[in-house]
Structure formats: structure tokens, C-alpha cells
Amino acid sequence: MKPASCKQHNSIAFNTTCLGMIRTLLTAMLLVASTPAQLQAADEVGHIVVLKGEAIARQPNGTVQQLSRRSPILVGQRLITEPDSSLQILLNDDTQFVLREESEFMLDAYDENALNLKSGKVLLMSLTRGCIRYMTGEIGVSPRDEVRLDTQFASLQIDELVVFETCIDEQRLETAVSAGTLLVTNQLGDLQLDFSGQFDYAETIAGQAPTGSRVQSMPAPPPRSNTPGRLRQQEDFDIIPLDKAEE
């Protein structure tokens, strides 16, 4: 009788161990299943603070979301503004930018490097069409940071505190700075824009290196039916000051 009792005891212990292993596996599976949602939440890097008119966000999977004030901004989504519409975005590092009407923009990468595991922070963006006015936040102040706005005709290398506006259409990219410095670069050449320097305005035409000049005000836009679109007057690009309650 004693051996049988011991055998039964061992079986119970074995079953208990198996149940524990099953619970552990189920817990691990649940954690793995929850990872995409956690990553998505981590990709929320800012929000919309002002929206005039209508704008949408196209997600990487093709789904489309109608945007509103306070809508979160995610890495990888494409922001598109409708005619007579604009939106202002505030990122987590206090970077601000305004997308004007009929613009298409993507936030390609955003890394605040909170744990200082590498040399600097990263903010990579792309503008397919339309106009953007941009003001540097905490990302971009340090020379170790990598901040760039890519377009079809040139890239804008943002290496320090700067306020600029740029517009792109099928034929050209126009860029002007109103504070700080900015490097406009493509495979054919580089041009530094400096509000206090030799050039504060650049035009980059398809197949050409950037060319610069000094301008006191932005050219007025042509009628809507004409192309290509030109940079609007300076005051039309002003970033809207934010109160703490509005943020």
C-alpha cells in the first residue's frame, strides 16, 4: 500500500507541475499578443493642436482616419490636408509644424533617446506635396541629433534651432528660413540658408542643384488654377502661439 500511495503522490506533483507550465506558456502567449498594441501606443509621438477644415491620416495598413483636434500623431502614418484646410502639430519634444492646404506629409522616424543609449535623437520626415512651416523643438538643438525633411528634389538638414517654411509641387522645391540656419542638399549640390547670412531663400528645380537668394518677403501665391504653387506670404505661415490650456 505504501508504494501505491507514493506513486499517487508523484502523479499529483507531476500534474501540478504541468499545470504550472501551461499557465506560464499561456501568460507568455498573451504577452506576445499584446506587444503590437504596446508598440502602437509607444509610436504616439504628438497630437494635433489646431485643425482648420478637414484632414485625414492614412495608416501603413491602408486604413484612413478622419482627424480632429487632439488626434494622436503616430510614426508611419501619412497626413493629408484637404483644400482650404490646415493643421498644426505639437510633438512630444515641443517641435511644432503647420501643414497647409493640399499637403501630404509623413513622420518616418521619431526617437527621443530618453535613455541616452546612443549619440543623439532622431526625427525624420518627408513632404510629398504642399507646404509646411516648421519650428525646432528639443530634437534638433544638439548637433548630435539627426533631423531631416526629405522631398523629391532635395533634403533639408536641420542641425540647430531654426524656423523655416518650404513648399513643393511637381517642378520645384522652395525653402525660406526666418530664424537660424538650414542646409538644402541633393546629389548635385548643397546650399546653406541663414537668415543673417548670404542666402535665406532657396529654389531647387528638378534635375538641378539648389540655388539661393535673399528675399524680404515670400512671393504671393498664384490663383488656385495656376501651377506650380508658390510660397505664401510670411504671415500666412506663422505658427500659432499655444497657451498651456490649448496644448
Side-chain angles (χ1 to χ4, degrees):
M1 295 296 295
K2 187 174 181 181
S5 176
C6 291
K7 184 177 181 180
Q8 182 179 10
H9 175 77
N10 291 338
S11 178
I12 292 172
F14 177 77
N15 290 337
T16 303
T17 302
C18 288
L19 288 174
M21 293 175 61
I22 291 172
R23 290 194 188 97
T24 301
L25 289 172
L26 288 174
T27 301
M29 291 172 65
L30 288 172
L31 288 174
V32 171
S34 66
T35 299
Q38 293 173 350
L39 290 176
Q40 184 178 15
D43 284 343
E44 295 181 7
V45 297
H47 63 278
I48 295 174
V49 292
V50 179
L51 175 61
K52 298 180 179 179
E54 296 185 356
I56 62 171
R58 181 172 291 119
Q59 309 299 341
N61 62 6
T63 60
V64 174
Q65 172 194 357
Q66 196 74 29
L67 295 175
S68 61
R69 186 175 181 271
R70 293 286 182 180
S71 290
I73 299 303
L74 308 177
V75 171
Q77 68 182 177
R78 188 175 297 275
L79 306 178
I80 303 172
T81 54
E82 302 294 337
D84 299 317
S85 302
S86 64
L87 59 83
Q88 179 172 346
I89 290 172
L90 179 66
L91 298 181
N92 293 343
D93 69 303
D94 291 333
T95 291
Q96 294 186 57
F97 58 88
V98 174
L99 292 182
R100 294 300 169 184
E101 65 173 349
E102 298 182 278
S103 297
E104 189 167 342
F105 168 93
M106 178 178 287
L107 186 62
D108 300 301
Y110 185 92
D111 183 3
E112 293 186 89
N113 191 20
L115 300 179
N116 294 317
L117 298 178
K118 54 186 180 179
S119 60
K121 306 173 183 179
V122 175
L123 174 53
L124 304 179
M125 305 160 284
S126 55
L127 184 68
T128 306
R129 59 185 173 96
C131 301
I132 184 175
R133 179 168 171 84
Y134 177 96
M135 181 168 67
T136 305
E138 294 180 13
I139 298 181
V141 173
S142 170
R144 298 176 301 171
D145 296 345
E146 181 183 6
V147 187
R148 191 177 72 244
L149 176 67
D150 293 323
T151 74
Q152 177 183 351
F153 304 119
S155 292
L156 308 182
Q157 302 284 349
I158 306 165
D159 295 326
E160 58 182 86
L161 183 64
V162 65
V163 178
F164 70 87
E165 54 270 339
T166 190
C167 287
I168 186 173
D169 58 27
E170 294 84 359
Q171 301 180 28
R172 65 171 58 86
L173 172 73
E174 296 185 17
T175 307
V177 297
S178 53
T181 62
L182 181 70
L183 184 67
V184 184
T185 178
N186 63 16
Q187 294 181 343
L188 301 175
D190 301 333
L191 180 71
Q192 179 170 292
L193 299 183
D194 187 336
F195 187 70
S196 302
Q198 182 179 6
F199 303 121
D200 63 4
Y201 170 84
E203 181 179 59
T204 309
I205 300 175
Q208 299 182 21
T211 58
S213 65
R214 286 206 61 82
V215 293
Q216 298 303 317
S217 60
M218 297 299 98
R224 182 182 294 277
S225 58
N226 291 353
T227 56
R230 306 290 292 181
L231 283 173
R232 296 166 178 253
Q233 293 182 354
Q234 181 78 28
E235 58 269 18
D236 194 39
F237 278 88
D238 286 345
I239 291 175
I240 305 168
L242 298 177
D243 296 326
K244 287 298 181 183
E246 294 177 314
E247 296 179 7

